[in-house]
Amino acid sequence: MESLRVAVRQQPSEDSRLRALYALVVLGITQREVALHFHVGERSLRRWKKQFEETGTVGRRSNCESNSKFNCDHEHWIRSFIDKHPLEDISLSTISRIINKLGYTRKVCCISAMQAVVER
């Protein structure tokens, strides 16, 4: 039963959002029926529709504009690094073990990465 509760709380993927909008707009299924089928609120459907009309996408909005400890430059640096050096078949736990084996902590890695971006 616990796994069911966790699954319901997950954010819908962009694909699920697009399918819901397709059912709502193209197929003409009522908002209530679409919301029940996709396990989302009707308010979410309205928000996704508005976002799609304004931006052409229904993906989650980027948090790099928020007041977080990293900014868009950090996000773009990490994305370009991963694009240039793909980590195929390496889990996050393996990466964490390697970092710890080298004597670094997560905080040290984050600070070093941020300093590298600032120095550029």
Side-chain angles (χ1 to χ4, degrees):
M1 188 65 172
E2 182 64 29
S3 62
L4 179 61
R5 277 190 231 136
V6 172
V8 172
R9 289 185 196 159
Q10 289 179 342
Q11 294 281 334
S13 66
E14 185 173 352
D15 183 60
S16 293
R17 293 176 187 207
L18 287 171
R19 289 173 186 261
L21 286 179
Y22 181 82
L24 182 69
V25 177
V26 178
L27 300 178
I29 300 173
T30 66
Q31 194 169 9
R32 181 177 172 84
E33 290 173 334
V34 172
L36 287 172
H37 179 75
F38 285 92
H39 304 285
V40 297
E42 292 181 45
R43 175 72 181 109
S44 294
L45 289 173
R46 288 192 297 272
R47 191 172 49 250
W48 298 343
K49 185 177 177 187
K50 180 181 177 188
Q51 181 184 351
F52 186 78
E53 290 168 350
E54 291 174 355
T55 65
T57 182
V58 291
R60 294 181 66 193
R61 294 186 176 135
S62 173
N63 285 339
C64 67
E65 296 90 21
S66 69
N67 196 12
S68 64
K69 292 182 180 181
F70 67 92
N71 59 31
C72 287
D73 291 337
H74 299 130
E75 186 176 317
H76 294 300
W77 181 84
I78 291 169
R79 180 182 299 275
S80 67
F81 181 84
I82 291 172
D83 288 343
K84 290 177 187 173
H85 311 285
L87 301 172
E88 296 173 4
D89 301 326
I90 300 176
S91 68
L92 290 176
S93 60
T94 301
I95 293 170
S96 181
R97 279 196 307 273
I98 292 169
I99 289 171
N100 287 330
K101 184 178 178 183
L102 294 172
Y104 294 107
T105 64
R106 179 188 53 81
K107 287 185 177 183
V108 169
C109 289
C110 291
I111 291 170
S112 298
M114 286 186 228
Q115 287 173 346
V117 170
V118 170
E119 291 172 1
R120 288 183 174 193

